[in-house]
PDB file of all heavy atoms in Angstrom:
ATOM      1  N   HIS A  72      39.122 164.117 182.605  1.00 97.00           N
ATOM      2  CA  HIS A  72      38.216 163.473 183.633  1.00 97.00           C
ATOM      3  C   HIS A  72      36.810 163.984 183.440  1.00 97.00           C
ATOM      4  O   HIS A  72      36.610 165.253 183.449  1.00 97.00           O
ATOM      5  CB  HIS A  72      38.754 163.772 185.015  1.00 97.00           C
ATOM      6  CG  HIS A  72      37.970 163.018 186.069  1.00 97.00           C
ATOM      7  ND1 HIS A  72      37.854 161.694 186.131  1.00 97.00           N
ATOM      8  CD2 HIS A  72      37.263 163.483 187.164  1.00 97.00           C
ATOM      9  CE1 HIS A  72      37.084 161.341 187.176  1.00 97.00           C
ATOM     10  NE2 HIS A  72      36.710 162.454 187.817  1.00 97.00           N
ATOM     11  N   VAL A  73      35.849 163.180 183.190  1.00 98.00           N
ATOM     12  CA  VAL A  73      34.465 163.558 182.920  1.00 98.00           C
ATOM     13  C   VAL A  73      33.467 162.997 183.949  1.00 98.00           C
ATOM     14  O   VAL A  73      33.571 161.815 184.299  1.00 98.00           O
ATOM     15  CB  VAL A  73      34.008 163.027 181.483  1.00 98.00           C
ATOM     16  CG1 VAL A  73      32.653 163.502 181.217  1.00 98.00           C
ATOM     17  CG2 VAL A  73      35.014 163.455 180.489  1.00 98.00           C
ATOM     18  N   THR A  74      32.729 163.850 184.551  1.00 98.00           N
ATOM     19  CA  THR A  74      31.727 163.489 185.599  1.00 98.00           C
ATOM     20  C   THR A  74      30.451 164.152 185.404  1.00 98.00           C
ATOM     21  O   THR A  74      30.412 165.309 184.776  1.00 98.00           O
ATOM     22  CB  THR A  74      32.296 163.728 186.994  1.00 98.00           C
ATOM     23  OG1 THR A  74      32.572 165.190 187.029  1.00 98.00           O
ATOM     24  CG2 THR A  74      33.464 162.941 187.337  1.00 98.00           C
ATOM     25  N   ASP A  75      29.268 163.691 185.847  1.00 98.00           N
ATOM     26  CA  ASP A  75      28.062 164.308 185.904  1.00 98.00           C
ATOM     27  C   ASP A  75      27.812 164.840 187.262  1.00 98.00           C
ATOM     28  O   ASP A  75      27.972 164.150 188.236  1.00 98.00           O
ATOM     29  CB  ASP A  75      26.936 163.283 185.476  1.00 98.00           C
ATOM     30  CG  ASP A  75      26.931 163.085 183.928  1.00 98.00           C
ATOM     31  OD1 ASP A  75      27.370 163.973 183.197  1.00 98.00           O
ATOM     32  OD2 ASP A  75      26.504 162.031 183.536  1.00 98.00           O
ATOM     33  N   SER A  76      27.434 166.080 187.355  1.00 98.00           N
ATOM     34  CA  SER A  76      27.169 166.699 188.619  1.00 98.00           C
ATOM     35  C   SER A  76      25.990 167.699 188.536  1.00 98.00           C
ATOM     36  O   SER A  76      25.201 167.559 187.652  1.00 98.00           O
ATOM     37  CB  SER A  76      28.500 167.492 189.128  1.00 98.00           C
ATOM     38  OG  SER A  76      28.444 168.044 190.385  1.00 98.00           O
ATOM     39  N   THR A  77      25.969 168.680 189.432  1.00 98.00           N
ATOM     40  CA  THR A  77      24.951 169.676 189.372  1.00 98.00           C
ATOM     41  C   THR A  77      25.628 171.049 189.646  1.00 98.00           C
ATOM     42  O   THR A  77      26.628 171.111 190.380  1.00 98.00           O
ATOM     43  CB  THR A  77      23.816 169.474 190.389  1.00 98.00           C
ATOM     44  OG1 THR A  77      24.314 169.464 191.707  1.00 98.00           O
ATOM     45  CG2 THR A  77      23.101 168.240 190.095  1.00 98.00           C
ATOM     46  N   LEU A  78      25.017 172.124 189.109  1.00 98.00           N
ATOM     47  CA  LEU A  78      25.422 173.509 189.410  1.00 98.00           C
ATOM     48  C   LEU A  78      24.172 174.255 189.800  1.00 98.00           C
ATOM     49  O   LEU A  78      23.274 174.337 188.970  1.00 98.00           O
ATOM     50  CB  LEU A  78      26.077 174.102 188.171  1.00 98.00           C
ATOM     51  CG  LEU A  78      27.631 174.060 187.947  1.00 98.00           C
ATOM     52  CD1 LEU A  78      27.955 174.765 186.638  1.00 98.00           C
ATOM     53  CD2 LEU A  78      28.348 174.589 189.165  1.00 98.00           C
ATOM     54  N   GLY A  79      24.075 174.683 191.029  1.00 98.00           N
ATOM     55  CA  GLY A  79      22.917 175.434 191.453  1.00 98.00           C
ATOM     56  C   GLY A  79      21.651 174.597 191.309  1.00 98.00           C
ATOM     57  O   GLY A  79      20.606 175.091 191.067  1.00 98.00           O
ATOM     58  N   GLY A  80      21.833 173.251 191.405  1.00 98.00           N
ATOM     59  CA  GLY A  80      20.735 172.332 191.306  1.00 98.00           C
ATOM     60  C   GLY A  80      20.324 171.969 189.956  1.00 98.00           C
ATOM     61  O   GLY A  80      19.401 171.152 189.692  1.00 98.00           O
ATOM     62  N   VAL A  81      21.181 172.382 188.923  1.00 98.00           N
ATOM     63  CA  VAL A  81      20.936 172.119 187.501  1.00 98.00           C
ATOM     64  C   VAL A  81      21.935 171.047 187.052  1.00 98.00           C
ATOM     65  O   VAL A  81      23.128 171.166 187.261  1.00 98.00           O
ATOM     66  CB  VAL A  81      21.078 173.309 186.653  1.00 98.00           C
ATOM     67  CG1 VAL A  81      20.687 173.043 185.154  1.00 98.00           C
ATOM     68  CG2 VAL A  81      20.240 174.484 187.208  1.00 98.00           C
ATOM     69  N   PRO A  82      21.437 169.948 186.409  1.00 98.00           N
ATOM     70  CA  PRO A  82      22.340 168.928 185.941  1.00 98.00           C
ATOM     71  C   PRO A  82      23.467 169.442 185.021  1.00 98.00           C
ATOM     72  O   PRO A  82      23.115 170.268 184.141  1.00 98.00           O
ATOM     73  CB  PRO A  82      21.420 167.918 185.210  1.00 98.00           C
ATOM     74  CG  PRO A  82      20.091 168.172 185.770  1.00 98.00           C
ATOM     75  CD  PRO A  82      20.066 169.568 186.149  1.00 98.00           C
ATOM     76  N   THR A  83      24.663 169.002 185.198  1.00 98.00           N
ATOM     77  CA  THR A  83      25.806 169.578 184.506  1.00 98.00           C
ATOM     78  C   THR A  83      26.862 168.497 184.289  1.00 98.00           C
ATOM     79  O   THR A  83      27.217 167.748 185.173  1.00 98.00           O
ATOM     80  CB  THR A  83      26.478 170.792 185.318  1.00 98.00           C
ATOM     81  OG1 THR A  83      25.410 171.787 185.506  1.00 98.00           O
ATOM     82  CG2 THR A  83      27.608 171.375 184.589  1.00 98.00           C
ATOM     83  N   ARG A  84      27.449 168.436 183.122  1.00 98.00           N
ATOM     84  CA  ARG A  84      28.563 167.547 182.829  1.00 98.00           C
ATOM     85  C   ARG A  84      29.864 168.397 182.974  1.00 98.00           C
ATOM     86  O   ARG A  84      29.976 169.447 182.336  1.00 98.00           O
ATOM     87  CB  ARG A  84      28.480 166.847 181.474  1.00 98.00           C
ATOM     88  CG  ARG A  84      29.593 165.952 181.149  1.00 98.00           C
ATOM     89  CD  ARG A  84      29.294 164.927 180.106  1.00 98.00           C
ATOM     90  NE  ARG A  84      28.306 163.934 180.588  1.00 98.00           N
ATOM     91  CZ  ARG A  84      27.904 162.939 179.967  1.00 98.00           C
ATOM     92  NH1 ARG A  84      28.389 162.729 178.680  1.00 98.00           N
ATOM     93  NH2 ARG A  84      27.080 161.958 180.433  1.00 98.00           N
ATOM     94  N   VAL A  85      30.784 167.830 183.743  1.00 98.00           N
ATOM     95  CA  VAL A  85      32.082 168.566 184.025  1.00 98.00           C
ATOM     96  C   VAL A  85      33.184 167.835 183.323  1.00 98.00           C
ATOM     97  O   VAL A  85      33.358 166.607 183.439  1.00 98.00           O
ATOM     98  CB  VAL A  85      32.257 168.606 185.558  1.00 98.00           C
ATOM     99  CG1 VAL A  85      33.580 169.350 185.826  1.00 98.00           C
ATOM    100  CG2 VAL A  85      31.140 169.260 186.231  1.00 98.00           C
ATOM    101  N   PHE A  86      34.023 168.658 182.635  1.00 98.00           N
ATOM    102  CA  PHE A  86      35.211 168.136 181.902  1.00 98.00           C
ATOM    103  C   PHE A  86      36.494 168.787 182.507  1.00 98.00           C
ATOM    104  O   PHE A  86      36.592 170.027 182.413  1.00 98.00           O
ATOM    105  CB  PHE A  86      35.132 168.464 180.424  1.00 98.00           C
ATOM    106  CG  PHE A  86      33.873 167.951 179.746  1.00 98.00           C
ATOM    107  CD1 PHE A  86      32.656 168.607 179.816  1.00 98.00           C
ATOM    108  CD2 PHE A  86      33.972 166.763 179.032  1.00 98.00           C
ATOM    109  CE1 PHE A  86      31.537 168.081 179.220  1.00 98.00           C
ATOM    110  CE2 PHE A  86      32.814 166.257 178.353  1.00 98.00           C
ATOM    111  CZ  PHE A  86      31.678 166.912 178.506  1.00 98.00           C
TER     112      PHE A  86
END
Side-chain angles (χ1 to χ4, degrees):
H72 183 58
V73 183
T74 56
D75 285 332
S76 184
T77 60
L78 270 179
V81 184
T83 302
R84 179 158 289 185
V85 182
F86 302 81

